[in-house]
Amino acid sequence: MNEEKFFEELETLKDARRQTCEEIKSHGKPVIIFGAGEMAQPVTDELTKFDVEIDGYAVDEKYYKPEQNYLGRPVYKFSELSAEPEKYIFVLGLNDEGGRRSLAFLLDKKLKHYAVMPNLSMPITYEWIISNRRQLTETFNWLEDDLSRRTMRAYLKQKISRDPSFNINICQPNSYFNDLINGGGPRGSYIDCGAYRGDTIEKFIEWSGGAYEKILGVEADPINYAALEKFIRTKDYKNVATINCGVWNEQTTLTFDGRSNTSSTISEGGDVTIRAERIDDLVGEFGLKNVRLIKMDIEGSELNALKGAVETIGRDNPDLAVCVYHRTEDLITIPQFIKNLRADYKFYLRKHTFITDVELVLYAIA
């Protein structure tokens, strides 16, 4: 890393949100948020913090309903407003799956558009980056390829500026199962921590061509787990086991915030009590042999889960795909822990969403 230059670039971005909002206001034109779903609310909140007046929302035709309102403002057909782009200022307020529609919006040169996306994961500030400069540089220097290094730079720039355009040239949509990992192999096993409702198990089986020994899907949320069990039964997958628990560094009971979505998380103020297990114990309980891949997307529990997998990692040397965006310190503590455990792992960093600050994955490759 050309440290001085990079940190100078970050310093220019530390007031980027305010500057963007001031520029939006300076045009003196009606401000329209593109989107009227769950992302439009926090985008509205971000803009109103800086006294940007919102004049309305716009949606694609298939989502439009006559006389529709959102947050007390009118909702228009995006096609009609964008036909007269000189009249409006558009702000991205969409988080479509995969980000393809949002990306098309950002690349539309006819529009005067902006993006001030809210934090969906833990905040990272310029001040935090500066105070942890040495440790972040250490992580950066461990990364194996240029794309990983560009990804880390882009991620930190996005976190400070809230501008998703930094992702456009580094995003890799194929999450988890890509050319980095070695896969299960005919005698290998795969552990999916945060199996949700079975989507990543299905993708792994498709990616591996069914060449695996056993799969264990771990899901803490009881509602998601019920859907996961039903999905596996419906698909009639062979040698796939599931368990309703969290993964931790010890056998224990934890309080869980069960919101029945992809953001459910272990929390002291949670509403559900769950069982938590060590991966090392689950490997023995389910008779997993030759664990070749462990994936973790468990809403901030990744470091403790790794601490409960020390024996398995030391014995089987599996590839690891670990989310590093749930906690502010993840880009420091998770690589440090893995490197101290096994110095021979090679690190790669990939961003798997175009628009939001989520889906940043550290690949530790054996």
Side-chain angles (χ1 to χ4, degrees), residues 3 36 41 54 98 112 241 249 311 316 339:
E3 278 189 71
Q41 169 78 69
I54 311 300
K112 190 66 177 177
N249 61 341
E311 297 166 17
D316 293 346
K339 204 61 155 176

Side-chain angles (χ1 to χ4, degrees), residues 175-176 190-196 199-200 218-220 224 247 256 261-265 294-302 305 321-326 330 352 358-361:
S175 58
Y176 302 122
Y190 162 54
I191 302 176
D192 188 341
C193 302
Y196 189 48
D199 56 330
T200 44
V218 185
E219 175 55 46
N224 289 339
V247 278
F256 186 79
N261 58 31
T262 55
S263 298
S264 299
T265 182
I294 302 174
K295 164 251 171 182
M296 293 183 180
D297 185 2
I298 44 179
E299 308 304 323
S301 300
E302 287 82 2
V322 183
C323 287
V324 286
Y325 63 88
H326 293 115
D330 279 350
H352 295 307
V358 300
E359 299 304 320
L360 182 73
V361 181

Side-chain angles (χ1 to χ4, degrees), residues 7-24:
F7 286 101
E8 286 172 6
E9 290 174 357
L10 289 181
E11 187 173 13
T12 67
L13 295 172
K14 65 181 182 179
D15 200 32
R17 274 193 303 161
R18 179 180 297 279
Q19 292 168 358
T20 298
C21 290
E22 291 299 326
E23 186 175 339
I24 290 171

Side-chain angles (χ1 to χ4, degrees), residues 79-134:
S79 58
E80 293 180 354
L81 299 190
S82 60
E84 299 180 296
E86 70 283 353
K87 292 185 177 182
Y88 305 99
I89 301 299
F90 294 95
V91 180
L92 180 63
L94 192 66
N95 182 24
D96 53 314
E97 187 173 353
R100 298 293 181 178
R101 183 65 186 94
S102 298
L103 182 62
F105 170 84
L106 290 176
L107 295 177
D108 190 338
K109 295 181 179 180
K110 299 189 303 295
L111 306 177
K112 190 66 177 177
H113 51 63
Y114 295 88
V116 186
M117 299 302 286
N119 274 322
L120 296 184
S121 60
M122 296 295 284
I124 291 178
T125 64
Y126 172 75
E127 290 73 22
W128 182 87
I129 291 172
I130 293 303
S131 65
N132 291 277
R133 177 171 173 167
R134 180 184 60 80

